[in-house]
Amino acid sequence: MRDFWKNALRDLGKIGVAYIIITVGIWLVFMILIPQLIMFDYSLRPMLALRDIGGPKDVWTLKNYIVFFTNKLHMAIFFKTIWSSFIVTLVALAICYPIAFYLAKVVRGGKVGLLMLGLIIPYWINELLRLFAWQLILADSGILNQLLILLGIIVDPINFRAGNGAVILGMTYAYILFMVFPIYNVMESLDRNQLDAARDLGASWLRIHRRIVMPHAKPGIAVGCTMTFMLAAGTVAAPQLLGSPSSFWFTQVINTNFECANWNQGAAYATVLMLLCMIFMFIMLKIFKVGLKELTQ
Amino acid sequence: MGQDVEIADVSMRFGDFYAARDINVHIEAGEFFSFLGPSGCGKTTLLRLVSGFMDPTKGQIKIGGKDMIGIGSNNRPTAMIFQNLALFPLMTVMENIGFGLEVRGMPKVERIKKVEELIELVDLFGTGNRYVSELSGGQMQRVAIARALAVNPAVLLLDEPLSALDLKLRHHMRAELRNIQRRTGVTFIYITHDQTEALTMSDRVGVMSIGKLEQVAVPDVIYNNPATAFVASFVGETNRLQGTISNIDGEYAVLNTASGPFSCKNPQRMSKGEEGTIFIRPETVFMTKESNASNLLACGIQNLSFEGAYAVVTLKTEQGQLLTMRLNNDGTAPSVKADENVNVTFNRENAFVLKNGDSSSA
């Protein structure tokens, strides 16, 4: 550690080191530590009228958490959110793994840039607008229903937004990039000769992926899955715009709490969701046997 | 056991560029065959064609008499050792060597036995459970060899596998490779730009330049009787004198050059009036006191470089032509000093005239 500071001082000078300490400090304290602590504090206090805040009733309690764990409906919504986010992650992985492999190891030369651009272009548009576009595509009189009717596959339009399918579809679409890029990055560093060598030794493509490509891409897959899962579990836009009015998502429950001025209940729910995401991340790390250090590379 | 490889009329084109053009060569079963040439001459392309990573634009490749076109690298009786070895970094030495066997569905117990045999063959005791990143360069080399041999290939393809090693290790691995080849009887096709490597290890050498196979012969024929100007200048050190043939005398020809007329062998049966280059190896140039000897060159000594077993003498003729002469340090060569004037000569049996090739820029 001493060496670290000594080297930093030599390489960056006093001003450089001070700048880094201050900026990293501000980021850590004001963007991460304080907001989380405030929210955690909120979640441990009862909802009170303004005049009672700071009074004898303002004490720390687990009441907000107990409300969550005893509310069967909210618990069900919570598990549905986990389950759906999990499905979004799996579907995104299934779509992105081949795309990333194709971009990293199959396409050569300038085409990669063009294809990358194709992937990025939709992200030039705001997420809300992209979800609106899906709303239009999936609407009763939307393009998809019209096409299916025209082709004679269906007679009456399908209500795509009835279940959770539309939300899962929208989320998968919205977060595909977050899955593609981490996987693409690690796959790019894979030596093509290793694929050739495995092939030369008689391996089928399936085995090459199982034994060579996937083990190499593990850190990228872990990052992609973690990010996609967190984004899916934490978004409010997709369920709001694409979900059916009768089917709530956990983020919407949190949102409603805040809108109804019960910030304390909302904070407790948000903390629960954050804990879930952390648990998911650590499970991913365990499954893929990668360390936090590799994850951030 | 090894199988023969027949490369017939093979051409490989990438766009307008021919990486290989009309290649014809028959490599015998159990032979150690090297393709020698500068980088970009198409030798790696040829190797990849034999291994099945791609199919030629034109022509046929047969291994053991069986047509290989359309058969992928995973189904050919070949195994390749890559220039960068391409070992699997996330597998142990044992897993690396056993990969080809695992692919073939060999039961684990049997597999371990076979891998242990190979570890013994390539002298890698005690490294089986290590990861390849923990090995030295020479050990990695051995893992690559063992991994390729594990699948019992009929033909082993080697793409400059020794180029990353230091000189001493390289010498050692050359002998080792040759040894393994003799013991296993597998056909070896070796790619290299290092002539010493090709000449010392191979049964036969094929010299390539820009997609063309210039000559296929045993090493001493390649060195002593190069078929083309490219081979003569690429393999070994050589002196060159350009001129026009003024007379033909049976096997020999006389060339008029800027430094006078010289007599030499005429292997390409060139005729009078043709332009060509005389090639003379530095070790066949010697000093003479006779002032009326044939093939005489009056020179000044420009530079002397003592290399231990021999000295390299740089000579300059009166016409400004530079020549190299090699004096063996065996006590027979007269001592010389820089700036001294000497007469040098060469026997006509040791020099040969060849057509000026369009690719003699080695």
Side-chain angles (χ1 to χ4, degrees):
Chain A
M1 206 57 193
R2 263 187 74 103
D3 281 350
F4 171 79
W5 288 113
K6 230 161 85 186
N7 285 336
L9 261 176
R10 194 193 57 216
D11 293 344
L12 303 165
K14 277 186 192 138
I15 295 173
V17 170
Y19 181 74
I20 287 174
I21 291 175
I22 289 167
T23 45
V24 170
I26 288 174
W27 171 64
L28 267 178
V29 174
F30 289 96
M31 318 273 254
I32 299 177
L33 225 53
I34 292 180
Q36 295 296 342
L37 283 177
I38 289 176
M39 203 170 75
F40 193 55
D41 180 56
Y42 260 91
S43 75
L44 291 173
R45 292 179 192 277
M47 187 177 78
L48 296 170
L50 209 52
R51 60 181 143 73
D52 286 331
I53 289 177
K57 284 187 197 163
D58 198 355
V59 286
W60 278 357
T61 162
L62 284 174
K63 195 183 133 254
N64 293 319
Y65 290 94
I66 292 164
V67 166
F68 168 69
F69 286 107
T70 50
N71 186 328
K72 280 211 176 89
L73 181 64
H74 286 177
M75 283 289 272
I77 292 173
F78 179 70
F79 284 116
K80 184 189 83 176
T81 305
I82 297 179
W83 180 235
S84 306
S85 303
F86 190 67
I87 290 176
V88 169
T89 308
L90 275 185
V91 172
L93 179 62
I95 294 171
C96 296
Y97 180 88
I99 294 177
F101 182 74
Y102 182 77
L103 284 174
K105 286 288 150 255
V106 182
V107 187
R108 289 172 197 229
K111 261 203 213 148
V112 180
L114 212 67
L115 288 168
M116 284 280 195
L117 194 69
L119 274 177
I120 296 168
I121 282 175
Y123 289 79
W124 289 351
I125 302 160
N126 183 290
E127 186 185 339
L128 286 177
L129 293 179
R130 273 181 284 137
L131 291 170
F132 268 123
W134 272 108
Q135 211 178 46
L136 293 176
I137 294 170
L138 299 175
D140 283 357
S141 55
I143 218 172
L144 192 58
N145 270 319
Q146 283 186 11
L147 190 74
L148 290 175
I149 290 168
L150 204 73
L151 291 172
I153 296 168
I154 53 169
V155 181
D156 297 315
I158 300 172
N159 184 7
F160 288 110
R161 292 177 53 201
N164 299 313
V167 183
I168 291 173
L169 182 75
M171 283 184 181
T172 309
Y173 172 75
Y175 303 129
I176 260 182
L177 270 198
F178 296 93
M179 188 66 101
V180 167
F181 278 110
I183 302 179
Y184 168 79
N185 272 339
V186 286
M187 278 187 180
E188 232 213 335
S189 66
L190 178 65
D191 174 16
R192 227 185 227 110
N193 278 350
Q194 279 188 32
L195 305 180
D196 281 347
R199 188 88 182 138
D200 190 48
L201 291 167
S204 63
W205 281 115
L206 205 68
R207 191 182 293 268
I208 290 175
H209 278 278
R210 215 181 65 221
R211 296 285 275 131
I212 314 290
V213 186
M214 279 189 188
H216 180 87
K218 256 178 8 186
I221 294 174
V223 172
C225 287
T226 311
M227 291 222 277
T228 309
F229 182 86
M230 286 182 185
L231 287 166
T235 181
V236 75
Q240 205 93 304
L241 291 175
L242 294 173
S244 74
S246 60
S247 166
F248 246 42
W249 287 63
F250 197 62
T251 42
Q252 289 172 294
V253 178
I254 297 173
N255 194 29
T256 315
N257 270 315
F258 278 94
E259 278 173 351
C260 302
N262 193 347
W263 284 29
N264 306 84
Q265 191 67 56
Y269 279 30
T271 306
V272 168
L273 186 62
M274 193 182 75
L275 282 175
L276 165 75
C277 288
M278 280 166 72
I279 291 167
F280 181 82
M281 194 178 86
F282 284 112
I283 290 174
M284 290 313 280
L285 293 182
K286 258 277 177 304
I287 290 176
F288 289 103
K289 294 195 186 73
V290 284
L292 260 179
K293 209 177 122 212
E294 279 175 89
L295 197 69
T296 48
Q297 265 169 5
Chain B
M1 276 309 284
Q3 289 182 354
D4 66 318
V5 178
E6 169 117 45
I7 298 173
D9 281 320
V10 164
S11 292
M12 186 70 201
R13 208 180 55 197
F14 299 104
D16 295 337
F17 171 72
Y18 275 93
R21 189 167 227 162
D22 304 323
I23 305 286
N24 275 294
V25 59
H26 184 243
I27 296 158
E28 306 284 342
E31 191 177 14
F32 196 125
F33 190 96
S34 291
F35 284 105
L36 171 67
S39 59
C41 73
K43 52 194 194 302
T44 299
T45 302
L46 212 53
L47 205 67
R48 294 181 74 85
L49 287 171
V50 175
S51 68
F53 292 127
M54 49 195 186
D55 275 331
T57 318
K58 186 173 82 70
Q60 260 197 329
I61 292 170
K62 285 182 179 172
I63 299 175
K66 227 178 111 204
D67 191 3
M68 285 290 135
I69 305 301
I71 294 177
S73 61
N74 53 333
N75 288 318
R76 292 195 185 187
T78 59
M80 177 135 157
I81 296 177
F82 291 77
Q83 186 163 16
N84 66 354
L85 305 182
L87 298 176
F88 306 130
L90 301 175
M91 297 186 200
T92 62
V93 168
M94 282 195 100
E95 286 174 311
N96 261 283
I97 298 175
F99 184 78
L101 305 171
E102 175 198 319
V103 163
R104 281 160 179 74
M106 188 186 265
K108 199 164 181 187
V109 183
E110 218 175 308
R111 199 160 80 209
I112 290 173
K113 212 173 133 238
K114 178 93 200 261
V115 170
E116 274 166 356
E117 277 171 32
L118 284 156
I119 284 184
E120 195 178 322
L121 177 79
V122 298
D123 207 2
L124 268 174
F125 293 106
T127 60
N129 291 319
R130 281 197 230 160
Y131 283 90
V132 286
S133 58
E134 299 166 315
L135 303 180
S136 69
Q139 286 174 321
M140 287 189 197
Q141 205 79 50
R142 288 161 206 268
V143 176
I145 295 167
R147 186 180 69 176
L149 288 174
V151 297
N152 280 332
V155 182
L156 193 67
L157 308 165
L158 303 99
D159 186 3
E160 308 213 28
L162 305 186
S163 56
L165 301 182
D166 64 59
L167 193 67
K168 206 166 165 192
L169 201 53
R170 204 150 66 214
H171 279 288
H172 182 72
M173 287 309 292
R174 272 182 206 160
E176 197 114 322
L177 274 180
R178 187 73 240 217
N179 223 324
I180 289 170
Q181 195 262 337
R182 288 215 179 96
R183 264 189 287 171
T184 56
V186 172
T187 311
F188 273 38
I189 303 183
Y190 195 91
I191 293 288
T192 182
H193 65 269
D194 181 332
Q195 41 170 306
T196 323
E197 219 163 88
L199 297 179
T200 52
M201 287 197 289
S202 321
D203 293 317
R204 279 193 304 159
V205 178
V207 183
M208 287 188 77
S209 88
I210 331 180
K212 272 167 59 193
L213 195 53
E214 299 265 334
Q215 184 176 13
V216 176
V218 296
D220 66 298
V221 170
I222 293 281
Y223 189 83
N224 291 324
N225 298 307
T228 67
F230 175 82
V231 177
S233 43
F234 186 72
V235 181
E237 293 287 309
T238 187
N239 292 303
R240 281 176 261 187
L241 295 170
Q242 291 208 348
T244 315
I245 295 185
S246 61
N247 201 8
I248 302 284
D249 174 14
E251 272 189 69
Y252 303 95
V254 177
L255 243 82
N256 269 332
T257 74
S259 307
F262 294 102
S263 177
C264 62
K265 285 209 283 196
N266 180 14
Q268 288 179 332
R269 304 261 168 255
M270 293 168 69
S271 46
K272 207 169 152 175
E274 270 191 89
E275 288 192 8
T277 305
I278 306 181
F279 290 88
I280 316 146
R281 299 281 182 203
E283 64 269 25
T284 63
V285 178
F286 57 95
M287 289 189 282
T288 181
K289 291 262 184 317
E290 289 176 50
S291 53
N292 57 350
S294 58
N295 290 349
L296 200 67
L297 283 142
C299 307
I301 295 178
Q302 245 205 345
N303 188 35
L304 263 169
S305 147
F306 181 68
E307 309 254 342
Y310 56 87
V312 176
V313 185
T314 311
L315 304 159
K316 196 175 188 180
T317 65
E318 282 158 9
Q319 290 75 23
Q321 166 90 40
L322 287 177
L323 290 176
T324 317
M325 171 172 68
R326 202 156 143 164
L327 295 177
N328 279 329
N329 189 12
D330 55 2
T332 60
S335 68
V336 288
K337 293 193 293 290
D339 299 327
E340 206 176 322
N341 284 322
V342 291
N343 284 333
V344 299
T345 181
F346 55 90
N347 290 326
R348 62 177 187 170
E349 284 78 25
N350 293 332
F352 36 83
V353 60
L354 295 168
K355 286 177 192 162
N356 292 333
D358 47 359
S359 56
S360 59
S361 55

